[in-house]
Amino acid sequence: MGSWVVMAIPSNVYQQPKLGHSAQLSPQMAGLGEASDWDTTILVTDDWMKVASMKVASERRHSGWESVEKKWSENAPAPQRAGLKPPSESTKKADEAMARFPYPHIPIPTPQLDFDFRMKVLLNSQSASVAVGDSFKKLSTLSEGTWSGRFGYGLVVNGGQESQDVVQENLTATQVEATHRLQTGDEVPAYIECKIRGNMIGQPELVKALQDPGRSGVDPRSCRFRVFITMKTSDERYANKLNAGMWVGSCLWKGLEIIYDVYRIS
């Protein structure tokens, strides 16, 4: 198996980030909340604006800027009126879609992503292939694995995955479905069912090279690999944390090893 690209991982990657001290204000900003040189009693009236405009015009005449600006305006090309173009087909479709947009006045909260845990799995070198239409589906079992994150740490003790390559024009999409059994590191461990579904997309030769245990020197970040994850457990210590959760993962696949960085959707 080829070696992974070495990337520095902070030692506290799984710790809740601490809030820093309040930012120091610059002397200029700090003074705004206290004594200020700004005269807040000035009232802007129509007469005041007229006087100010006359003063600006006088200064422009005496400074010579009035004649310079006049030459600029004389030498400037005449503005071209852009002809009205008929709306494109995509614009029409967008307008039609917006006209049918349900409840446009109701704002809906935007989902947030929070890093939750990292998981590594190692697949067995022996796999089986099953014919599916004009293609093949590859069935693999798990050899070993570990995980660690915000809600604990432990081992990946069982499971497997199936994958199928689907060629789309000049790209290959490897569709992945997996089910892994996670064991926590508690004295009396809990067991968590982790279901994964997603795609790795890239140039056909790169996808093939990354899945080949005998190939080396290929950067696993050259292909995009994203997954959707759900988890379930009957253990009361973790049920409230996991059973109603949803996660997405950004992954790297090289040879028989897959690494998942998993983010909880909140």
Side-chain angles (χ1 to χ4, degrees), residues 23-36:
Q24 296 293 327
L25 295 177
S26 64
Q28 293 84 354
M29 292 297 293
L32 292 179
E34 303 170 358
S36 174

Side-chain angles (χ1 to χ4, degrees), residues 58-100:
S58 176
E59 289 178 353
R60 286 172 66 248
R61 282 195 301 272
H62 290 292
S63 63
W65 272 108
E66 186 178 36
S67 59
V68 174
E69 292 172 355
K70 185 177 181 181
K71 289 182 179 179
W72 283 350
S73 61
E74 291 175 351
N75 297 330
Q80 305 259 345
R81 285 192 64 183
L84 296 178
K85 297 182 179 179
S88 63
E89 189 66 24
S90 59
T91 303
K92 290 181 180 179
K93 290 183 179 179
D95 291 341
E96 291 174 0
M98 290 303 297
R100 292 169 172 77

Side-chain angles (χ1 to χ4, degrees), residues 108 161 192 235:
I108 297 179
Q161 74 174 33
I192 303 165
D235 194 295

Side-chain angles (χ1 to χ4, degrees), residues 1 3-9 118-123 161 176 196 199-201 206-207 210-211 218-227 249-263:
M1 185 192 310
S3 61
W4 284 86
V5 175
V6 177
M7 293 179 288
I9 304 297
R118 173 171 285 191
M119 179 172 64
K120 180 193 74 173
V121 299
L122 186 64
L123 303 176
Q161 74 174 33
V176 178
I196 299 168
N199 298 283
M200 182 170 72
I201 302 174
L206 290 176
V207 172
L210 288 175
Q211 297 180 32
V218 183
D219 188 348
R221 293 169 294 183
S222 59
C223 293
R224 187 183 66 196
F225 189 6
R226 304 288 186 269
V227 295
S250 181
C251 319
L252 300 178
W253 185 345
K254 185 170 178 59
L256 298 175
E257 192 173 22
I258 303 176
I259 297 178
Y260 302 84
D261 264 358
V262 182
Y263 299 80

Side-chain angles (χ1 to χ4, degrees), residues 185-206:
D186 302 301
E187 184 175 350
V188 178
Y191 292 93
I192 303 165
E193 180 186 74
C194 177
K195 290 190 174 183
I196 299 168
R197 186 174 184 178
N199 298 283
M200 182 170 72
I201 302 174
Q203 298 295 327
E205 62 275 9
L206 290 176

